[in-house]
Amino acid sequence: PTPFCIVYENRLRRNLELINTVKEEAGVNIIMAFKANALWRTFPIIREYCQAATASSLNELQLGNEELGHEIHSYCPAYTSESISKYIAGSTHITFNSVSQWQRFSETINSHNSNTSNRHVSPGLRVNPLCSVIETDIYNPALPGSRFGVTAEQLDGQLPEGIEGLHFHALCESTSYDLEKVLEAFEAQFGQYLPSVKWVNMGGGHLMTKAGYDIPHLISLLKAFK
């Protein structure tokens, strides 16, 4: 009488093993987004392959910390003075949407990190490479005039002091060849900052478990970027 969904463990493991192959061969970290799967009853299986998750809300932050992982990569378009302390306490990485947003909360982050009893929270900045293969404009975060992320023009050749990572998200159920186009634009516009950062987060939208997805091309692309 109650609607239900069935998850086939063998299919879930097949997908996880494929994702893990990319992780191992390319030498990258693959992070789970709860938008793809927030069914926490499956997390004991997922933990065998992945212990890192994204959080775009305080509820996702709690879910990740309680049920999945050792690493929580948080990004929220608008932090508040009330929520920022909770994001900092529960995250290992936190991405800011604009330079002004980072400037507003940088002192809070630095104060947290200066206490050696706290785990270090690595701050990053979302950038907009102005390149996306998403066909529906309403879902395209890289359109001109978008408020998602900072453009190269806005940075004006200077990465804000204290920023340790760069994040872009411009894909949706996309192929490795779509990623290649976006990555070329990202490198052309933001490549000068790469020697100054510790990590790059390439966002979500990588549909690598779809039939026909070119896994060898993805691995070679990631290795070439490194």
PDB file of all heavy atoms in Angstrom, residues 154-171:
ATOM      1  N   GLN A 154      36.470  39.853 -13.527  1.00  0.00           N
ATOM      2  CA  GLN A 154      36.245  40.352 -12.169  1.00  0.00           C
ATOM      3  C   GLN A 154      37.456  40.134 -11.268  1.00  0.00           C
ATOM      4  O   GLN A 154      37.697  40.916 -10.346  1.00  0.00           O
ATOM      5  CB  GLN A 154      35.008  39.675 -11.575  1.00  0.00           C
ATOM      6  CG  GLN A 154      33.696  40.120 -12.209  1.00  0.00           C
ATOM      7  CD  GLN A 154      32.518  39.298 -11.766  1.00  0.00           C
ATOM      8  OE1 GLN A 154      32.591  38.069 -11.642  1.00  0.00           O
ATOM      9  NE2 GLN A 154      31.381  39.953 -11.524  1.00  0.00           N
ATOM     10  N   LEU A 155      38.227  39.067 -11.522  1.00  0.00           N
ATOM     11  CA  LEU A 155      39.435  38.828 -10.730  1.00  0.00           C
ATOM     12  C   LEU A 155      40.542  39.810 -11.099  1.00  0.00           C
ATOM     13  O   LEU A 155      41.367  40.164 -10.252  1.00  0.00           O
ATOM     14  CB  LEU A 155      39.928  37.389 -10.924  1.00  0.00           C
ATOM     15  CG  LEU A 155      39.151  36.309 -10.192  1.00  0.00           C
ATOM     16  CD1 LEU A 155      39.752  34.938 -10.495  1.00  0.00           C
ATOM     17  CD2 LEU A 155      39.147  36.546  -8.684  1.00  0.00           C
ATOM     18  N   ASP A 156      40.583  40.199 -12.362  1.00  0.00           N
ATOM     19  CA  ASP A 156      41.530  41.210 -12.834  1.00  0.00           C
ATOM     20  C   ASP A 156      42.981  40.854 -12.493  1.00  0.00           C
ATOM     21  O   ASP A 156      43.771  41.688 -12.057  1.00  0.00           O
ATOM     22  CB  ASP A 156      41.169  42.571 -12.243  1.00  0.00           C
ATOM     23  CG  ASP A 156      41.874  43.722 -12.947  1.00  0.00           C
ATOM     24  OD1 ASP A 156      42.205  43.564 -14.146  1.00  0.00           O
ATOM     25  OD2 ASP A 156      42.110  44.764 -12.309  1.00  0.00           O
ATOM     26  N   GLY A 157      43.301  39.555 -12.674  1.00  0.00           N
ATOM     27  CA  GLY A 157      44.692  39.124 -12.510  1.00  0.00           C
ATOM     28  C   GLY A 157      45.141  38.905 -11.085  1.00  0.00           C
ATOM     29  O   GLY A 157      46.331  38.656 -10.841  1.00  0.00           O
ATOM     30  N   GLN A 158      44.228  38.979 -10.133  1.00  0.00           N
ATOM     31  CA  GLN A 158      44.617  38.857  -8.723  1.00  0.00           C
ATOM     32  C   GLN A 158      43.687  37.898  -7.990  1.00  0.00           C
ATOM     33  O   GLN A 158      42.486  38.159  -7.872  1.00  0.00           O
ATOM     34  CB  GLN A 158      44.586  40.225  -8.037  1.00  0.00           C
ATOM     35  CG  GLN A 158      45.038  40.229  -6.588  1.00  0.00           C
ATOM     36  CD  GLN A 158      46.513  39.939  -6.439  1.00  0.00           C
ATOM     37  OE1 GLN A 158      47.331  40.440  -7.222  1.00  0.00           O
ATOM     38  NE2 GLN A 158      46.887  39.136  -5.460  1.00  0.00           N
ATOM     39  N   LEU A 159      44.254  36.790  -7.504  1.00  0.00           N
ATOM     40  CA  LEU A 159      43.463  35.854  -6.710  1.00  0.00           C
ATOM     41  C   LEU A 159      43.413  36.369  -5.272  1.00  0.00           C
ATOM     42  O   LEU A 159      44.444  36.734  -4.707  1.00  0.00           O
ATOM     43  CB  LEU A 159      44.102  34.462  -6.746  1.00  0.00           C
ATOM     44  CG  LEU A 159      43.243  33.285  -6.264  1.00  0.00           C
ATOM     45  CD1 LEU A 159      42.064  33.070  -7.196  1.00  0.00           C
ATOM     46  CD2 LEU A 159      44.087  32.010  -6.185  1.00  0.00           C
ATOM     47  N   PRO A 160      42.231  36.414  -4.658  1.00  0.00           N
ATOM     48  CA  PRO A 160      42.135  36.926  -3.289  1.00  0.00           C
ATOM     49  C   PRO A 160      43.041  36.149  -2.324  1.00  0.00           C
ATOM     50  O   PRO A 160      43.146  34.923  -2.400  1.00  0.00           O
ATOM     51  CB  PRO A 160      40.663  36.712  -2.936  1.00  0.00           C
ATOM     52  CG  PRO A 160      39.957  36.694  -4.241  1.00  0.00           C
ATOM     53  CD  PRO A 160      40.907  36.063  -5.210  1.00  0.00           C
ATOM     54  N   GLU A 161      43.695  36.862  -1.442  1.00  0.00           N
ATOM     55  CA  GLU A 161      44.602  36.232  -0.483  1.00  0.00           C
ATOM     56  C   GLU A 161      43.835  35.257   0.409  1.00  0.00           C
ATOM     57  O   GLU A 161      42.760  35.572   0.911  1.00  0.00           O
ATOM     58  CB  GLU A 161      45.256  37.305   0.387  1.00  0.00           C
ATOM     59  CG  GLU A 161      46.280  36.761   1.364  1.00  0.00           C
ATOM     60  CD  GLU A 161      46.958  37.843   2.171  1.00  0.00           C
ATOM     61  OE1 GLU A 161      46.688  39.039   1.904  1.00  0.00           O
ATOM     62  OE2 GLU A 161      47.757  37.501   3.060  1.00  0.00           O
ATOM     63  N   GLY A 162      44.397  34.074   0.584  1.00  0.00           N
ATOM     64  CA  GLY A 162      43.784  33.070   1.440  1.00  0.00           C
ATOM     65  C   GLY A 162      42.992  32.012   0.702  1.00  0.00           C
ATOM     66  O   GLY A 162      42.688  30.952   1.269  1.00  0.00           O
ATOM     67  N   ILE A 163      42.651  32.260  -0.562  1.00  0.00           N
ATOM     68  CA  ILE A 163      41.900  31.272  -1.348  1.00  0.00           C
ATOM     69  C   ILE A 163      42.828  30.112  -1.716  1.00  0.00           C
ATOM     70  O   ILE A 163      43.912  30.315  -2.253  1.00  0.00           O
ATOM     71  CB  ILE A 163      41.306  31.910  -2.615  1.00  0.00           C
ATOM     72  CG1 ILE A 163      40.159  32.864  -2.246  1.00  0.00           C
ATOM     73  CG2 ILE A 163      40.820  30.844  -3.592  1.00  0.00           C
ATOM     74  CD1 ILE A 163      38.954  32.172  -1.626  1.00  0.00           C
ATOM     75  N   GLU A 164      42.385  28.881  -1.442  1.00  0.00           N
ATOM     76  CA  GLU A 164      43.208  27.693  -1.669  1.00  0.00           C
ATOM     77  C   GLU A 164      42.729  26.819  -2.821  1.00  0.00           C
ATOM     78  O   GLU A 164      43.435  25.886  -3.226  1.00  0.00           O
ATOM     79  CB  GLU A 164      43.258  26.847  -0.384  1.00  0.00           C
ATOM     80  CG  GLU A 164      43.912  27.555   0.794  1.00  0.00           C
ATOM     81  CD  GLU A 164      43.986  26.692   2.036  1.00  0.00           C
ATOM     82  OE1 GLU A 164      43.418  25.573   2.031  1.00  0.00           O
ATOM     83  OE2 GLU A 164      44.599  27.128   3.025  1.00  0.00           O
ATOM     84  N   GLY A 165      41.543  27.097  -3.350  1.00  0.00           N
ATOM     85  CA  GLY A 165      41.022  26.239  -4.414  1.00  0.00           C
ATOM     86  C   GLY A 165      40.117  26.997  -5.356  1.00  0.00           C
ATOM     87  O   GLY A 165      39.625  28.091  -5.046  1.00  0.00           O
ATOM     88  N   LEU A 166      39.899  26.406  -6.542  1.00  0.00           N
ATOM     89  CA  LEU A 166      38.982  26.959  -7.536  1.00  0.00           C
ATOM     90  C   LEU A 166      37.925  25.912  -7.872  1.00  0.00           C
ATOM     91  O   LEU A 166      38.224  24.719  -7.963  1.00  0.00           O
ATOM     92  CB  LEU A 166      39.734  27.364  -8.804  1.00  0.00           C
ATOM     93  CG  LEU A 166      40.751  28.499  -8.662  1.00  0.00           C
ATOM     94  CD1 LEU A 166      41.473  28.727  -9.994  1.00  0.00           C
ATOM     95  CD2 LEU A 166      40.083  29.788  -8.198  1.00  0.00           C
ATOM     96  N   HIS A 167      36.719  26.383  -8.069  1.00  0.00           N
ATOM     97  CA  HIS A 167      35.596  25.493  -8.338  1.00  0.00           C
ATOM     98  C   HIS A 167      34.804  26.028  -9.526  1.00  0.00           C
ATOM     99  O   HIS A 167      34.533  27.224  -9.612  1.00  0.00           O
ATOM    100  CB  HIS A 167      34.698  25.427  -7.096  1.00  0.00           C
ATOM    101  CG  HIS A 167      33.327  24.851  -7.331  1.00  0.00           C
ATOM    102  ND1 HIS A 167      33.117  23.515  -7.582  1.00  0.00           N
ATOM    103  CD2 HIS A 167      32.099  25.423  -7.334  1.00  0.00           C
ATOM    104  CE1 HIS A 167      31.811  23.300  -7.738  1.00  0.00           C
ATOM    105  NE2 HIS A 167      31.177  24.434  -7.592  1.00  0.00           N
ATOM    106  N   PHE A 168      34.492  25.141 -10.469  1.00  0.00           N
ATOM    107  CA  PHE A 168      33.541  25.516 -11.518  1.00  0.00           C
ATOM    108  C   PHE A 168      32.518  24.400 -11.667  1.00  0.00           C
ATOM    109  O   PHE A 168      32.781  23.243 -11.364  1.00  0.00           O
ATOM    110  CB  PHE A 168      34.240  25.804 -12.857  1.00  0.00           C
ATOM    111  CG  PHE A 168      34.915  24.621 -13.502  1.00  0.00           C
ATOM    112  CD1 PHE A 168      34.207  23.748 -14.310  1.00  0.00           C
ATOM    113  CD2 PHE A 168      36.274  24.387 -13.327  1.00  0.00           C
ATOM    114  CE1 PHE A 168      34.816  22.655 -14.919  1.00  0.00           C
ATOM    115  CE2 PHE A 168      36.896  23.301 -13.932  1.00  0.00           C
ATOM    116  CZ  PHE A 168      36.173  22.434 -14.729  1.00  0.00           C
ATOM    117  N   HIS A 169      31.330  24.769 -12.098  1.00  0.00           N
ATOM    118  CA  HIS A 169      30.262  23.792 -12.310  1.00  0.00           C
ATOM    119  C   HIS A 169      29.480  24.257 -13.527  1.00  0.00           C
ATOM    120  O   HIS A 169      28.745  25.241 -13.450  1.00  0.00           O
ATOM    121  CB  HIS A 169      29.356  23.708 -11.083  1.00  0.00           C
ATOM    122  CG  HIS A 169      28.334  22.621 -11.163  1.00  0.00           C
ATOM    123  ND1 HIS A 169      27.902  21.921 -10.061  1.00  0.00           N
ATOM    124  CD2 HIS A 169      27.659  22.088 -12.219  1.00  0.00           C
ATOM    125  CE1 HIS A 169      27.000  21.020 -10.423  1.00  0.00           C
ATOM    126  NE2 HIS A 169      26.836  21.108 -11.737  1.00  0.00           N
ATOM    127  N   ALA A 170      29.663  23.576 -14.641  1.00  0.00           N
ATOM    128  CA  ALA A 170      29.044  24.012 -15.891  1.00  0.00           C
ATOM    129  C   ALA A 170      28.493  22.857 -16.708  1.00  0.00           C
ATOM    130  O   ALA A 170      28.233  23.015 -17.897  1.00  0.00           O
ATOM    131  CB  ALA A 170      30.055  24.804 -16.718  1.00  0.00           C
ATOM    132  N   LEU A 171      28.320  21.683 -16.085  1.00  0.00           N
ATOM    133  CA  LEU A 171      27.865  20.501 -16.813  1.00  0.00           C
ATOM    134  C   LEU A 171      26.546  19.985 -16.246  1.00  0.00           C
ATOM    135  O   LEU A 171      26.188  20.271 -15.103  1.00  0.00           O
ATOM    136  CB  LEU A 171      28.919  19.392 -16.744  1.00  0.00           C
ATOM    137  CG  LEU A 171      30.303  19.717 -17.321  1.00  0.00           C
ATOM    138  CD1 LEU A 171      31.248  18.553 -17.102  1.00  0.00           C
ATOM    139  CD2 LEU A 171      30.205  20.058 -18.804  1.00  0.00           C
TER     140      LEU A 171
END
